[in-house]
Amino acid sequence: MDSATEGAIFLFRSMTGFGRSEVVYDWGTVVVEVSSVNHRYSEISVRLPKELARLEPQIISIVKANSSRGKITVRLDVRWSAQYSVPTINKNVLEGYIRDLEEISETFSLGCDIRLEHLLTLPGVLEPPLQNKETIFEDVAKALTGQVESALVNWNEMREVEGSHLLGDVLKYVQELEKRLVNIARTWDFVKEKALADFRERIETILAQQGVEADESRIIQEIVILSDKWDISEELDRLDSHMKKLRELLYEKAFVSGKKIDFLLQEINREINTIGSKASDSDIRWEIVEAKASIESMREQIQNVE
C-alpha cells in the first residue's frame, strides 16, 4: 500500500471480478463461475443446465445480495455421474430377444447371424440414464446454491483487492486536486483586492464620463451587483465543503457507493467550471485546467467502483 492510502480505513469494490468453485458429489461434479464487468445498473445473467432452470430466480436473489450494480454472469455446469448420464443394457430384455431370435431362426431355417448392434436398437434393451432427477433435486439444489455462494466469496475477494488499488489511485488524485484548490484560494486572496480596485476604477471612470458624481455608496452598490460575475469566494467555500465530504466517503468504514462518489464529483466539477467562467487571472485559469484533469481521472476510476 502506498503513502496515499497508508492508515486509511476503507472498503472499495471494483465491479470487475471473477470467482470459481468446483466440488465433486456422488451424483456429479458442480462447476460455478461468476464474472462481472462495469455497468451503470445491475444486470444479472444466469446460465444453467436445462433440467435446473427453475433455480434461476434463487441464484439471482443470492447474487443481488452480494452486489448493487455491474453486469454479472453466473455460469453453472453439472457433470452428472454415470448413473445419470450413461444408458445401461437391460440384460434380461436382451437375453429374451436373443432367445426368441434363435428360436425363430431355427424354426424357419433362416441361418442369420444375430449382431449386437442390431439388438441394441430394439425397444427396452438400452435403458436411458435416470432422466427423472426429482429424487435428488433437493440435494442438487442445495449443493448448487452453496457453490454459487462459495464462488461469490472468491469473486468478492478479487473485487476488494482491485478496489484497494482503485482507491489508492483516487486518493492520489484527491491530493492533487486539493493542492490545486489551495493554489486557487491563495491566488484569489492575492488578486481579489486588485480586482476590486480595478472594478472601482472602471465604475468611477464610467460615472465620470456620464457626468455623474462618484458617490461612495453608489460605487459600493455597483460593486455588489457586479461581484456575482467575478467573485469566486462562494464557489471556494462550497468546494471546501465538497472536498471534506469526499474525504469522509473515501474513509468510511463500510463499502462505499461508487455512484454516490460520482455524484459528488459532478458537484465539484460544476463549481470548478463556475470558477473558470468567472476568473480572469491566468494563474487561476491554469490551476482550473489541472483541477479538471484530476477530477476527470478520478471519475474514470470511480466508474469501476460498485
Side-chain angles (χ1 to χ4, degrees):
M1 194 68 63
D2 54 53
S3 59
T5 59
E6 186 177 356
I9 301 175
F10 53 80
L11 290 169
F12 258 31
R13 273 183 180 158
S14 170
M15 279 189 280
T16 302
F18 178 81
R20 189 177 191 275
S21 178
E22 179 174 348
V23 177
V24 179
Y25 300 91
D26 292 339
W27 41 264
T29 301
V30 178
V31 180
V32 178
E33 292 183 347
V34 180
S35 58
S36 60
V37 294
N38 298 349
H39 198 274
R40 188 174 181 182
Y41 305 106
S42 177
E43 181 179 315
I44 301 172
S45 172
V46 179
R47 300 177 184 177
L48 285 165
K50 184 178 180 181
E51 61 269 28
L52 300 173
R54 75 182 85 171
L55 291 175
E56 182 174 344
Q58 186 176 352
I59 293 174
I60 289 177
S61 178
I62 294 172
V63 175
K64 281 184 176 180
N66 284 268
S67 65
S68 59
R69 64 173 180 158
K71 188 173 184 179
I72 305 164
T73 301
V74 180
R75 297 178 181 85
L76 194 151
D77 182 44
V78 178
R79 297 194 288 268
W80 299 100
S81 59
Q83 62 177 322
Y84 293 99
S85 60
V86 179
T88 57
I89 297 175
N90 189 319
K91 295 180 180 179
N92 293 330
V93 174
L94 179 61
E95 184 179 352
Y97 277 126
I98 293 174
R99 188 168 52 249
D100 289 345
L101 288 171
E102 286 177 342
E103 183 180 337
I104 293 171
S105 178
E106 183 179 349
T107 300
F108 294 98
S109 301
L110 296 176
C112 60
D113 294 332
I114 300 175
R115 301 181 65 84
L116 181 60
E117 58 265 30
H118 297 153
L119 293 172
L120 293 178
T121 62
L122 294 173
V125 175
L126 279 182
E127 293 184 341
L130 298 177
Q131 296 295 337
N132 185 4
K133 302 183 178 71
E134 292 299 323
T135 56
I136 61 167
F137 183 82
E138 292 300 324
D139 291 339
V140 173
K142 184 177 180 180
L144 294 186
T145 53
Q147 291 313 115
V148 168
E149 290 174 347
S150 295
L152 287 172
V153 169
N154 295 334
W155 174 64
N156 278 326
E157 287 175 351
M158 179 177 178
R159 295 196 302 137
E160 288 165 21
V161 170
E162 179 62 22
S164 68
H165 298 155
L166 291 173
L167 180 63
D169 291 338
V170 169
L171 287 177
K172 289 179 182 177
Y173 294 126
V174 169
Q175 291 177 345
E176 181 63 26
L177 176 58
E178 287 175 333
K179 183 173 73 173
R180 299 300 175 184
L181 296 181
V182 167
N183 290 344
I184 291 172
R186 286 176 177 172
T187 304
W188 173 244
D189 286 339
F190 176 76
V191 302
K192 66 180 179 181
E193 294 300 328
K194 182 177 184 303
L196 182 62
D198 289 344
F199 265 98
R200 174 183 289 273
E201 182 178 346
R202 289 171 60 186
I203 292 171
E204 290 175 346
T205 301
I206 293 172
L207 291 175
Q209 290 174 347
Q210 299 298 320
V212 178
E213 184 178 353
D215 179 66
E216 181 65 21
S217 61
R218 177 69 181 276
I219 294 175
I220 293 174
Q221 182 181 10
E222 293 296 331
I223 290 176
V224 170
I225 293 173
L226 293 173
S227 64
D228 188 54
K229 297 182 179 180
W230 62 272
D231 193 341
I232 63 173
S233 299
E234 290 186 6
E235 285 77 15
L236 289 174
D237 288 342
R238 285 193 290 268
L239 278 171
D240 183 62
S241 176
H242 291 336
M243 293 303 296
K244 288 178 180 177
K245 184 61 179 178
L246 179 60
R247 280 284 185 178
E248 289 177 8
L249 287 175
L250 295 176
Y251 283 80
E252 276 189 356
K253 297 181 181 180
F255 282 105
V256 183
S257 167
K259 188 177 294 186
K260 183 185 293 185
I261 295 176
D262 189 45
F263 287 151
L264 183 54
L265 289 176
Q266 290 181 40
E267 292 301 312
I268 292 173
N269 193 59
R270 184 176 292 110
E271 299 297 340
I272 291 290
N273 284 334
T274 302
I275 291 176
S277 66
K278 286 185 174 184
S280 59
D281 181 81
S282 60
D283 290 335
I284 291 180
R285 296 184 71 84
W286 175 248
E287 295 292 346
I288 289 294
V289 172
E290 293 294 332
K292 288 173 67 68
S294 296
I295 293 172
E296 185 60 29
S297 296
M298 267 192 283
R299 294 193 68 184
E300 288 177 2
Q301 299 298 323
I302 292 300
Q303 298 305 315
N304 299 321
V305 178
E306 183 183 330

